[in-house]
Amino acid sequence: GQQVMQIPQYQHVQEGEDFTTYCNSSTTLSNIQWYKQRPGGHPVFLIQLVKSGEVKKQKRLTFQFGEAKKNSSLHITATQTTDVGTYFCAGQRNFNKFYFGSGTKLNVKP
Amino acid sequence: DSGVTQTPKHLITATGQRVTLRCSPRSGDLSVYWYQQSLDQGLQFLIHYYNGEERAKGNILERFSAQQFPDLHSELNLSSLELGDSALYFCASSDPKETQYFGPGTRLLVL
C-alpha cells in the first residue's frame, strides 16, 4: 500500500543551525501537508502544497514539493528554541485519506 | 485553540472493557478524522467521516468502530480493549481546503 517515509527520525541542532526534514512517497501524491506537534500538544497545520515543484516560504521555514509530486521537504533556517517539536508530513492521493510520515523530532540546544 | 473539542481528556480502563471517545468538530466543518498516536510514534489514520458518511478507512481494528451523527459530532468506540490500545487518540476536522484542525486528544491508558 501507499507509504510516506520521513527522515530523519531525530535531529539535534545547535540554535542558529539549519534543519531539514524529508518525505518520500512510493506513489504520486495529489497534495502534501506539513504539521508541527509541540511536546505534549496536538498537531498544528503549517502549510499545504499542491502544485508540482511548488515552493512556499513562511518566515524561516521553506517548504518544497517535488516535480514528480512524490517528495517534499521542510527547511528551517537559523533554528530557534521555539522550533522544538515533531514535524510531520501528510500526503494525500487523489485527495483521499491522509498518509502521515513518522515525523522528525527536532531538538534545539540553546 | 483549534475549535475542535474532544472528551474525555484522559481515560483509564481495564483490558476487555469498552470505551467511547467523543469529538466535536469546528463549526461549519463537515469532515471528521480519527487518528491513533502511540508513545513517540507517528499518527496512524483510523477513519474519515464526511457529513455523516464514512469516506475512508485506514488501519482501524475490527474491535474499533466510529460514527458521525447528524449534528456532525463523532464518536470512536473501542471494545475488548488490550494493553496495546493505550495511546493518544486525536480527532481532526477539516475545512473545504482540507486543512485539518486537531483536537487536544484523548489519552487512553489500558491497565
Side-chain angles (χ1 to χ4, degrees):
Chain A
Q2 168 144 352
Q3 289 185 345
V4 173
M5 309 300 292
Q6 187 172 358
I7 56 169
Q9 194 174 357
Y10 300 96
Q11 186 81 57
H12 300 272
V13 299
Q14 201 69 42
E15 190 173 22
E17 291 181 339
D18 292 356
F19 159 77
T20 306
T21 174
Y22 303 88
C23 281
N24 287 289
S25 168
S26 54
T27 56
T28 302
L29 300 169
S30 51
N31 60 301
I32 195 160
Q33 298 181 347
W34 284 92
Y35 293 81
K36 177 183 178 182
Q37 185 176 20
R38 291 183 188 273
H42 59 271
V44 174
F45 174 81
L46 294 177
I47 207 159
Q48 173 168 273
L49 304 170
V50 180
K51 298 176 186 174
S52 167
E54 191 168 14
V55 178
K56 285 189 176 180
K57 291 192 175 186
Q58 287 180 351
K59 297 182 181 177
R60 295 177 294 103
L61 277 61
T62 302
F63 304 84
Q64 294 190 4
F65 201 12
E67 293 289 341
K69 300 182 75 172
K70 287 186 176 182
N71 55 68
S72 181
S73 65
L74 156 59
H75 179 83
I76 302 178
T77 304
T79 54
Q80 300 175 358
T81 53
T82 52
D83 295 326
V84 165
T86 301
Y87 292 84
F88 293 98
C89 62
Q92 267 189 311
R93 186 182 176 198
N94 298 324
F95 297 99
N96 199 344
K97 57 187 175 182
F98 285 90
Y99 297 90
F100 275 77
S102 53
T104 296
K105 199 169 186 175
L106 173 64
N107 187 35
V108 180
K109 293 182 231 177
Chain B
D1 182 10
S2 65
V4 177
T5 59
Q6 286 186 252
T7 56
K9 280 189 177 177
H10 303 277
L11 200 47
I12 302 175
T13 188
T15 54
Q17 294 298 305
R18 173 190 166 97
V19 297
T20 298
L21 312 184
R22 183 188 167 103
C23 169
S24 292
R26 291 187 331 149
S27 176
D29 287 351
L30 302 180
S31 273
V32 170
Y33 299 81
W34 284 98
Y35 295 91
Q36 180 192 58
Q37 186 175 41
S38 301
L39 190 64
D40 285 340
Q41 296 289 312
L43 290 154
Q44 295 295 320
F45 167 74
L46 296 178
I47 200 161
H48 170 209
Y49 278 88
Y50 179 83
N51 203 19
E53 292 193 6
E54 181 185 303
R55 269 288 175 91
K57 247 181 180 176
N59 301 322
I60 187 166
L61 300 171
E62 283 192 14
R63 300 183 285 108
F64 295 1
S65 64
Q67 53 183 327
Q68 186 179 27
F69 295 87
D71 67 352
L72 301 177
H73 91 272
S74 178
E75 291 181 357
L76 179 66
N77 300 295
L78 315 176
S79 61
S80 303
L81 285 167
E82 301 174 1
L83 296 178
D85 297 326
S86 296
L88 199 50
Y89 291 85
F90 286 108
C91 91
S93 69
S94 69
D95 62 16
K97 290 185 179 178
E98 303 270 3
T99 299
Q100 293 191 60
Y101 298 88
F102 282 76
T106 292
R107 189 171 293 280
L108 173 66
L109 180 59
V110 182
L111 300 174

Short mmCIF file of all heavy atoms in Angstrom, two decimals, chain A residues 28-88:
data_model
loop_
_atom_site.label_atom_id
_atom_site.label_comp_id
_atom_site.label_asym_id
_atom_site.label_seq_id
_atom_site.Cartn_x
_atom_site.Cartn_y
_atom_site.Cartn_z
N THR A 28 2.58 8.86 -6.58
CA THR A 28 2.34 10.28 -6.79
C THR A 28 1.23 10.77 -5.85
O THR A 28 0.20 10.12 -5.69
CB THR A 28 1.93 10.55 -8.24
OG1 THR A 28 2.97 10.07 -9.10
CG2 THR A 28 1.73 12.04 -8.50
N LEU A 29 1.47 11.91 -5.27
CA LEU A 29 0.51 12.49 -4.34
C LEU A 29 -0.28 13.61 -5.03
O LEU A 29 0.21 14.26 -5.95
CB LEU A 29 1.24 13.06 -3.13
CG LEU A 29 2.07 12.08 -2.31
CD1 LEU A 29 2.95 12.82 -1.30
CD2 LEU A 29 1.17 11.10 -1.59
N SER A 30 -1.49 13.81 -4.56
CA SER A 30 -2.27 14.94 -5.07
C SER A 30 -1.84 16.22 -4.35
O SER A 30 -1.84 17.30 -4.93
CB SER A 30 -3.76 14.70 -4.89
OG SER A 30 -4.05 14.34 -3.55
N ASN A 31 -1.50 16.08 -3.09
CA ASN A 31 -1.04 17.23 -2.31
C ASN A 31 -0.33 16.72 -1.07
O ASN A 31 -0.42 15.53 -0.74
CB ASN A 31 -2.22 18.11 -1.91
CG ASN A 31 -3.24 17.37 -1.07
OD1 ASN A 31 -3.80 16.37 -1.48
ND2 ASN A 31 -3.46 17.85 0.14
N ILE A 32 0.37 17.60 -0.41
CA ILE A 32 1.04 17.24 0.83
C ILE A 32 0.90 18.38 1.82
O ILE A 32 0.90 19.54 1.45
CB ILE A 32 2.53 16.88 0.59
CG1 ILE A 32 3.11 16.16 1.81
CG2 ILE A 32 3.34 18.12 0.21
CD1 ILE A 32 4.37 15.37 1.49
N GLN A 33 0.71 18.00 3.06
CA GLN A 33 0.58 18.99 4.12
C GLN A 33 1.69 18.76 5.14
O GLN A 33 2.22 17.66 5.26
CB GLN A 33 -0.79 18.87 4.81
CG GLN A 33 -1.95 19.12 3.88
CD GLN A 33 -3.29 19.02 4.58
OE1 GLN A 33 -3.39 18.54 5.71
NE2 GLN A 33 -4.35 19.47 3.92
N TRP A 34 2.02 19.83 5.86
CA TRP A 34 3.01 19.74 6.93
C TRP A 34 2.38 20.22 8.23
O TRP A 34 1.62 21.20 8.25
CB TRP A 34 4.23 20.60 6.60
CG TRP A 34 5.12 19.97 5.57
CD1 TRP A 34 5.08 20.15 4.21
CD2 TRP A 34 6.20 19.06 5.81
NE1 TRP A 34 6.06 19.39 3.60
CE2 TRP A 34 6.76 18.72 4.56
CE3 TRP A 34 6.75 18.50 6.97
CZ2 TRP A 34 7.85 17.85 4.43
CZ3 TRP A 34 7.83 17.63 6.84
CH2 TRP A 34 8.37 17.32 5.58
N TYR A 35 2.72 19.49 9.30
CA TYR A 35 2.20 19.79 10.63
C TYR A 35 3.36 19.84 11.63
O TYR A 35 4.38 19.16 11.46
CB TYR A 35 1.21 18.72 11.09
CG TYR A 35 -0.07 18.69 10.30
CD1 TYR A 35 -0.13 18.05 9.07
CD2 TYR A 35 -1.21 19.32 10.78
CE1 TYR A 35 -1.31 18.03 8.33
CE2 TYR A 35 -2.38 19.31 10.05
CZ TYR A 35 -2.42 18.66 8.83
OH TYR A 35 -3.59 18.66 8.11
N LYS A 36 3.15 20.62 12.70
CA LYS A 36 4.11 20.66 13.80
C LYS A 36 3.39 20.26 15.08
O LYS A 36 2.27 20.73 15.33
CB LYS A 36 4.70 22.06 13.95
CG LYS A 36 5.66 22.20 15.14
CD LYS A 36 6.14 23.62 15.30
CE LYS A 36 7.06 23.76 16.52
NZ LYS A 36 7.51 25.15 16.73
N GLN A 37 4.03 19.41 15.85
CA GLN A 37 3.45 19.00 17.13
C GLN A 37 4.46 19.30 18.23
O GLN A 37 5.55 18.71 18.27
CB GLN A 37 3.11 17.51 17.11
CG GLN A 37 2.39 17.03 18.37
CD GLN A 37 1.98 15.56 18.26
OE1 GLN A 37 2.51 14.79 17.46
NE2 GLN A 37 1.02 15.15 19.09
N ARG A 38 4.10 20.23 19.10
CA ARG A 38 4.98 20.54 20.23
C ARG A 38 4.86 19.41 21.24
O ARG A 38 3.83 18.73 21.31
CB ARG A 38 4.58 21.86 20.87
CG ARG A 38 4.84 23.07 20.01
CD ARG A 38 4.47 24.34 20.76
NE ARG A 38 4.53 25.51 19.90
CZ ARG A 38 5.62 26.22 19.68
NH1 ARG A 38 6.75 25.88 20.29
NH2 ARG A 38 5.60 27.26 18.88
N PRO A 39 5.88 19.23 22.07
CA PRO A 39 5.81 18.19 23.11
C PRO A 39 4.56 18.34 23.96
O PRO A 39 4.28 19.44 24.48
CB PRO A 39 7.09 18.43 23.93
CG PRO A 39 8.03 19.08 22.96
CD PRO A 39 7.18 19.93 22.08
N GLY A 40 3.78 17.28 24.06
CA GLY A 40 2.56 17.32 24.86
C GLY A 40 1.39 17.99 24.19
O GLY A 40 0.32 18.11 24.78
N GLY A 41 1.58 18.39 22.95
CA GLY A 41 0.50 19.11 22.25
C GLY A 41 -0.10 18.31 21.13
O GLY A 41 0.19 17.12 20.96
N HIS A 42 -0.95 18.95 20.35
CA HIS A 42 -1.56 18.29 19.21
C HIS A 42 -0.96 18.86 17.92
O HIS A 42 -0.41 19.95 17.93
CB HIS A 42 -3.08 18.50 19.23
CG HIS A 42 -3.50 19.94 19.21
ND1 HIS A 42 -3.68 20.69 20.34
CD2 HIS A 42 -3.78 20.77 18.17
CE1 HIS A 42 -4.05 21.90 20.02
NE2 HIS A 42 -4.12 21.98 18.71
N PRO A 43 -1.05 18.11 16.83
CA PRO A 43 -0.52 18.61 15.56
C PRO A 43 -1.21 19.90 15.14
O PRO A 43 -2.43 20.04 15.27
CB PRO A 43 -0.82 17.47 14.58
CG PRO A 43 -0.95 16.26 15.43
CD PRO A 43 -1.58 16.75 16.70
N VAL A 44 -0.40 20.81 14.61
CA VAL A 44 -0.91 22.09 14.13
C VAL A 44 -0.51 22.24 12.68
O VAL A 44 0.64 22.05 12.32
CB VAL A 44 -0.36 23.25 14.97
CG1 VAL A 44 -0.78 24.59 14.37
CG2 VAL A 44 -0.83 23.14 16.42
N PHE A 45 -1.49 22.57 11.86
CA PHE A 45 -1.27 22.72 10.42
C PHE A 45 -0.28 23.85 10.15
O PHE A 45 -0.38 24.94 10.71
CB PHE A 45 -2.60 23.01 9.74
CG PHE A 45 -2.51 23.34 8.28
CD1 PHE A 45 -2.40 22.33 7.34
CD2 PHE A 45 -2.54 24.65 7.84
CE1 PHE A 45 -2.33 22.62 5.99
CE2 PHE A 45 -2.47 24.97 6.50
CZ PHE A 45 -2.36 23.95 5.57
N LEU A 46 0.68 23.58 9.26
CA LEU A 46 1.62 24.61 8.84
C LEU A 46 1.32 25.10 7.43
O LEU A 46 1.20 26.30 7.18
CB LEU A 46 3.07 24.07 8.88
CG LEU A 46 3.64 23.72 10.26
CD1 LEU A 46 5.02 23.14 10.12
CD2 LEU A 46 3.66 24.94 11.17
N ILE A 47 1.20 24.15 6.48
CA ILE A 47 1.05 24.55 5.09
C ILE A 47 0.57 23.38 4.24
O ILE A 47 0.70 22.21 4.65
CB ILE A 47 2.40 25.08 4.54
CG1 ILE A 47 2.17 26.08 3.42
CG2 ILE A 47 3.30 23.93 4.09
CD1 ILE A 47 3.36 27.00 3.20
N GLN A 48 0.02 23.68 3.08
CA GLN A 48 -0.34 22.67 2.10
C GLN A 48 0.32 23.02 0.77
O GLN A 48 0.29 24.18 0.34
CB GLN A 48 -1.85 22.59 1.92
CG GLN A 48 -2.27 21.66 0.78
CD GLN A 48 -3.74 21.33 0.77
OE1 GLN A 48 -4.17 20.39 1.42
NE2 GLN A 48 -4.51 22.12 0.04
N LEU A 49 0.88 22.01 0.11
CA LEU A 49 1.47 22.18 -1.22
C LEU A 49 0.67 21.32 -2.19
O LEU A 49 0.38 20.16 -1.90
CB LEU A 49 2.94 21.75 -1.21
CG LEU A 49 3.83 22.45 -0.19
CD1 LEU A 49 5.20 21.77 -0.11
CD2 LEU A 49 4.00 23.92 -0.53
N VAL A 50 0.35 21.89 -3.34
CA VAL A 50 -0.48 21.18 -4.30
C VAL A 50 0.19 21.04 -5.67
O VAL A 50 0.08 20.02 -6.34
CB VAL A 50 -1.85 21.89 -4.47
CG1 VAL A 50 -2.71 21.15 -5.48
CG2 VAL A 50 -2.57 21.99 -3.14
N LYS A 51 0.90 22.07 -6.08
CA LYS A 51 1.45 22.08 -7.44
C LYS A 51 2.82 21.44 -7.52
O LYS A 51 3.64 21.55 -6.60
CB LYS A 51 1.56 23.52 -7.94
CG LYS A 51 0.24 24.24 -8.03
CD LYS A 51 0.45 25.69 -8.44
CE LYS A 51 -0.83 26.47 -8.40
NZ LYS A 51 -0.62 27.90 -8.64
N SER A 52 3.09 20.81 -8.63
CA SER A 52 4.39 20.21 -8.90
C SER A 52 5.47 21.28 -8.84
O SER A 52 5.34 22.33 -9.45
CB SER A 52 4.35 19.58 -10.29
OG SER A 52 5.62 19.24 -10.74
N GLY A 53 6.55 20.99 -8.07
CA GLY A 53 7.66 21.93 -7.99
C GLY A 53 7.40 23.15 -7.12
O GLY A 53 8.23 24.06 -7.06
N GLU A 54 6.29 23.14 -6.41
CA GLU A 54 5.91 24.31 -5.62
C GLU A 54 6.88 24.56 -4.48
O GLU A 54 7.36 23.62 -3.84
CB GLU A 54 4.49 24.12 -5.07
CG GLU A 54 3.88 25.35 -4.44
CD GLU A 54 2.39 25.19 -4.17
OE1 GLU A 54 1.87 24.05 -4.21
OE2 GLU A 54 1.74 26.23 -3.92
N VAL A 55 7.18 25.83 -4.24
CA VAL A 55 8.00 26.25 -3.10
C VAL A 55 7.24 27.35 -2.37
O VAL A 55 6.78 28.31 -2.99
CB VAL A 55 9.37 26.79 -3.56
CG1 VAL A 55 10.18 27.28 -2.35
CG2 VAL A 55 10.15 25.73 -4.32
N LYS A 56 7.10 27.17 -1.07
CA LYS A 56 6.42 28.19 -0.27
C LYS A 56 7.28 28.54 0.94
O LYS A 56 7.96 27.66 1.48
CB LYS A 56 5.06 27.70 0.21
CG LYS A 56 3.98 27.69 -0.86
CD LYS A 56 2.62 27.39 -0.26
CE LYS A 56 1.52 27.47 -1.29
NZ LYS A 56 0.18 27.17 -0.71
N LYS A 57 7.23 29.80 1.33
CA LYS A 57 8.03 30.24 2.48
C LYS A 57 7.12 30.84 3.54
O LYS A 57 6.16 31.55 3.24
CB LYS A 57 9.08 31.26 2.04
CG LYS A 57 10.17 30.67 1.18
CD LYS A 57 11.34 31.64 1.01
CE LYS A 57 12.47 30.96 0.26
NZ LYS A 57 13.68 31.78 0.17
N GLN A 58 7.49 30.53 4.78
CA GLN A 58 6.85 31.17 5.93
C GLN A 58 7.98 31.59 6.85
O GLN A 58 8.52 30.79 7.59
CB GLN A 58 5.94 30.18 6.68
CG GLN A 58 4.67 29.81 6.00
CD GLN A 58 3.85 28.81 6.83
OE1 GLN A 58 4.32 28.28 7.84
NE2 GLN A 58 2.63 28.56 6.41
N LYS A 59 8.36 32.86 6.78
CA LYS A 59 9.46 33.39 7.59
C LYS A 59 10.69 32.52 7.41
O LYS A 59 11.26 32.47 6.33
CB LYS A 59 9.04 33.49 9.06
CG LYS A 59 7.89 34.47 9.28
CD LYS A 59 7.52 34.59 10.75
CE LYS A 59 6.36 35.55 10.93
NZ LYS A 59 5.91 35.65 12.34
N ARG A 60 11.13 31.81 8.43
CA ARG A 60 12.35 31.00 8.33
C ARG A 60 12.09 29.59 7.78
O ARG A 60 13.02 28.80 7.62
CB ARG A 60 13.02 30.89 9.71
CG ARG A 60 13.52 32.23 10.27
CD ARG A 60 14.11 32.08 11.67
NE ARG A 60 13.10 31.69 12.64
CZ ARG A 60 12.97 30.48 13.13
NH1 ARG A 60 13.77 29.50 12.76
NH2 ARG A 60 12.02 30.22 14.03
N LEU A 61 10.85 29.27 7.48
CA LEU A 61 10.51 27.94 7.00
C LEU A 61 10.31 27.95 5.50
O LEU A 61 9.61 28.82 4.97
CB LEU A 61 9.22 27.45 7.67
CG LEU A 61 9.30 26.81 9.05
CD1 LEU A 61 9.86 27.76 10.09
CD2 LEU A 61 7.96 26.28 9.48
N THR A 62 10.93 26.99 4.80
CA THR A 62 10.75 26.83 3.36
C THR A 62 10.27 25.43 3.07
O THR A 62 10.87 24.45 3.51
CB THR A 62 12.08 27.07 2.60
OG1 THR A 62 12.56 28.38 2.91
CG2 THR A 62 11.86 26.96 1.09
N PHE A 63 9.17 25.33 2.34
CA PHE A 63 8.55 24.06 2.00
C PHE A 63 8.67 23.84 0.50
O PHE A 63 8.44 24.76 -0.29
CB PHE A 63 7.07 24.06 2.39
CG PHE A 63 6.81 24.38 3.83
CD1 PHE A 63 6.73 25.70 4.27
CD2 PHE A 63 6.62 23.36 4.75
CE1 PHE A 63 6.48 25.99 5.59
CE2 PHE A 63 6.35 23.65 6.09
CZ PHE A 63 6.30 24.97 6.50
N GLN A 64 9.01 22.60 0.12
CA GLN A 64 9.11 22.27 -1.30
C GLN A 64 8.32 21.02 -1.61
O GLN A 64 8.28 20.08 -0.81
CB GLN A 64 10.57 22.06 -1.70
CG GLN A 64 11.44 23.29 -1.62
CD GLN A 64 12.81 23.06 -2.25
OE1 GLN A 64 13.07 22.00 -2.80
NE2 GLN A 64 13.68 24.05 -2.17
N PHE A 65 7.73 20.99 -2.79
CA PHE A 65 7.05 19.80 -3.32
C PHE A 65 7.76 19.43 -4.60
O PHE A 65 7.94 20.27 -5.48
CB PHE A 65 5.58 20.14 -3.60
CG PHE A 65 4.65 18.96 -3.66
CD1 PHE A 65 5.03 17.70 -3.24
CD2 PHE A 65 3.35 19.13 -4.11
CE1 PHE A 65 4.16 16.62 -3.28
CE2 PHE A 65 2.46 18.06 -4.15
CZ PHE A 65 2.86 16.81 -3.73
N GLY A 66 8.18 18.17 -4.71
CA GLY A 66 8.97 17.75 -5.84
C GLY A 66 8.24 17.82 -7.17
O GLY A 66 7.00 17.82 -7.22
N GLU A 67 9.02 17.84 -8.24
CA GLU A 67 8.43 17.92 -9.58
C GLU A 67 7.51 16.73 -9.87
O GLU A 67 6.48 16.88 -10.53
CB GLU A 67 9.55 17.96 -10.64
CG GLU A 67 10.42 19.22 -10.62
CD GLU A 67 9.67 20.44 -11.11
OE1 GLU A 67 8.63 20.30 -11.79
OE2 GLU A 67 10.11 21.57 -10.80
N ALA A 68 7.90 15.57 -9.38
CA ALA A 68 7.10 14.36 -9.61
C ALA A 68 5.99 14.21 -8.57
O ALA A 68 5.23 13.23 -8.61
CB ALA A 68 7.99 13.13 -9.58
N LYS A 69 5.90 15.14 -7.65
CA LYS A 69 4.90 15.11 -6.58
C LYS A 69 4.99 13.81 -5.77
O LYS A 69 3.98 13.23 -5.37
CB LYS A 69 3.48 15.31 -7.13
CG LYS A 69 3.32 16.65 -7.85
CD LYS A 69 1.92 16.90 -8.36
CE LYS A 69 0.96 17.27 -7.26
NZ LYS A 69 -0.36 17.70 -7.77
N LYS A 70 6.23 13.37 -5.56
CA LYS A 70 6.43 12.19 -4.73
C LYS A 70 7.27 12.51 -3.50
O LYS A 70 7.38 11.68 -2.60
CB LYS A 70 7.16 11.09 -5.53
CG LYS A 70 6.30 10.40 -6.56
CD LYS A 70 7.06 9.24 -7.18
CE LYS A 70 6.20 8.48 -8.14
NZ LYS A 70 6.91 7.31 -8.70
N ASN A 71 7.88 13.68 -3.47
CA ASN A 71 8.69 14.01 -2.31
C ASN A 71 8.50 15.46 -1.93
O ASN A 71 8.05 16.30 -2.73
CB ASN A 71 10.16 13.70 -2.56
CG ASN A 71 10.68 14.38 -3.78
OD1 ASN A 71 10.80 15.60 -3.84
ND2 ASN A 71 10.98 13.60 -4.81
N SER A 72 8.83 15.74 -0.68
CA SER A 72 8.66 17.08 -0.15
C SER A 72 9.69 17.30 0.95
O SER A 72 10.21 16.34 1.53
CB SER A 72 7.25 17.26 0.41
OG SER A 72 7.06 18.57 0.91
N SER A 73 9.99 18.55 1.20
CA SER A 73 10.93 18.87 2.27
C SER A 73 10.49 20.12 3.01
O SER A 73 9.77 20.97 2.46
CB SER A 73 12.34 19.06 1.72
OG SER A 73 12.40 20.18 0.87
N LEU A 74 10.93 20.17 4.25
CA LEU A 74 10.74 21.36 5.09
C LEU A 74 12.11 21.77 5.59
O LEU A 74 12.81 20.95 6.18
CB LEU A 74 9.80 21.03 6.25
CG LEU A 74 9.89 21.89 7.52
CD1 LEU A 74 9.60 23.35 7.21
CD2 LEU A 74 8.96 21.38 8.59
N HIS A 75 12.48 23.00 5.32
CA HIS A 75 13.79 23.51 5.74
C HIS A 75 13.57 24.69 6.68
O HIS A 75 12.79 25.59 6.36
CB HIS A 75 14.59 23.95 4.51
CG HIS A 75 15.93 24.51 4.84
ND1 HIS A 75 17.03 23.72 5.06
CD2 HIS A 75 16.35 25.80 4.99
CE1 HIS A 75 18.08 24.49 5.34
NE2 HIS A 75 17.69 25.74 5.30
N ILE A 76 14.26 24.65 7.81
CA ILE A 76 14.20 25.77 8.75
C ILE A 76 15.59 26.42 8.78
O ILE A 76 16.60 25.74 9.05
CB ILE A 76 13.80 25.34 10.16
CG1 ILE A 76 12.43 24.64 10.14
CG2 ILE A 76 13.75 26.56 11.10
CD1 ILE A 76 11.96 24.15 11.50
N THR A 77 15.63 27.69 8.53
CA THR A 77 16.89 28.44 8.56
C THR A 77 17.09 29.03 9.96
O THR A 77 16.14 29.54 10.56
CB THR A 77 16.83 29.59 7.54
OG1 THR A 77 16.54 29.04 6.25
CG2 THR A 77 18.14 30.34 7.48
N ALA A 78 18.31 28.92 10.45
CA ALA A 78 18.66 29.53 11.74
C ALA A 78 17.65 29.17 12.82
O ALA A 78 16.89 30.01 13.30
CB ALA A 78 18.78 31.04 11.60
N THR A 79 17.67 27.91 13.22
CA THR A 79 16.69 27.40 14.19
C THR A 79 16.72 28.19 15.49
O THR A 79 17.75 28.74 15.90
CB THR A 79 16.95 25.93 14.51
OG1 THR A 79 18.31 25.77 14.93
CG2 THR A 79 16.65 25.04 13.31
N GLN A 80 15.55 28.21 16.13
CA GLN A 80 15.40 28.83 17.44
C GLN A 80 14.81 27.78 18.38
O GLN A 80 14.23 26.79 17.92
CB GLN A 80 14.48 30.06 17.34
CG GLN A 80 15.00 31.12 16.40
CD GLN A 80 14.02 32.27 16.21
OE1 GLN A 80 12.92 32.27 16.76
NE2 GLN A 80 14.42 33.26 15.43
N THR A 81 14.91 28.04 19.67
CA THR A 81 14.39 27.06 20.63
C THR A 81 12.89 26.88 20.48
O THR A 81 12.34 25.83 20.82
CB THR A 81 14.73 27.47 22.07
OG1 THR A 81 14.28 28.80 22.31
CG2 THR A 81 16.24 27.39 22.32
N THR A 82 12.22 27.87 19.95
CA THR A 82 10.76 27.76 19.74
C THR A 82 10.41 26.80 18.60
O THR A 82 9.24 26.46 18.41
CB THR A 82 10.16 29.14 19.42
OG1 THR A 82 10.91 29.72 18.34
CG2 THR A 82 10.21 30.05 20.63
N ASP A 83 11.44 26.37 17.83
CA ASP A 83 11.18 25.43 16.74
C ASP A 83 11.12 23.99 17.23
O ASP A 83 10.79 23.08 16.45
CB ASP A 83 12.28 25.53 15.68
CG ASP A 83 12.30 26.88 14.99
OD1 ASP A 83 11.21 27.47 14.80
OD2 ASP A 83 13.41 27.36 14.65
N VAL A 84 11.42 23.76 18.49
CA VAL A 84 11.41 22.40 19.04
C VAL A 84 10.04 21.76 18.87
O VAL A 84 9.01 22.38 19.09
CB VAL A 84 11.79 22.43 20.54
CG1 VAL A 84 11.43 21.13 21.22
CG2 VAL A 84 13.27 22.73 20.70
N GLY A 85 10.06 20.50 18.45
CA GLY A 85 8.81 19.76 18.27
C GLY A 85 9.01 18.67 17.24
O GLY A 85 10.12 18.43 16.77
N THR A 86 7.92 18.02 16.90
CA THR A 86 7.96 16.99 15.87
C THR A 86 7.24 17.50 14.64
O THR A 86 6.12 18.01 14.73
CB THR A 86 7.30 15.68 16.37
OG1 THR A 86 8.00 15.24 17.53
CG2 THR A 86 7.38 14.60 15.31
N TYR A 87 7.89 17.36 13.51
CA TYR A 87 7.34 17.84 12.25
C TYR A 87 6.87 16.63 11.42
O TYR A 87 7.63 15.69 11.18
CB TYR A 87 8.38 18.64 11.48
CG TYR A 87 8.72 19.94 12.17
CD1 TYR A 87 9.67 19.98 13.19
CD2 TYR A 87 8.06 21.12 11.84
CE1 TYR A 87 9.96 21.15 13.86
CE2 TYR A 87 8.35 22.31 12.50
CZ TYR A 87 9.29 22.31 13.51
OH TYR A 87 9.58 23.47 14.19
N PHE A 88 5.62 16.66 11.02
CA PHE A 88 5.02 15.58 10.24
C PHE A 88 4.63 16.08 8.86
O PHE A 88 4.12 17.18 8.71
CB PHE A 88 3.72 15.08 10.89
CG PHE A 88 3.89 14.39 12.20
CD1 PHE A 88 3.68 15.07 13.40
CD2 PHE A 88 4.22 13.04 12.26
CE1 PHE A 88 3.81 14.43 14.62
CE2 PHE A 88 4.35 12.39 13.47
CZ PHE A 88 4.14 13.09 14.65
#
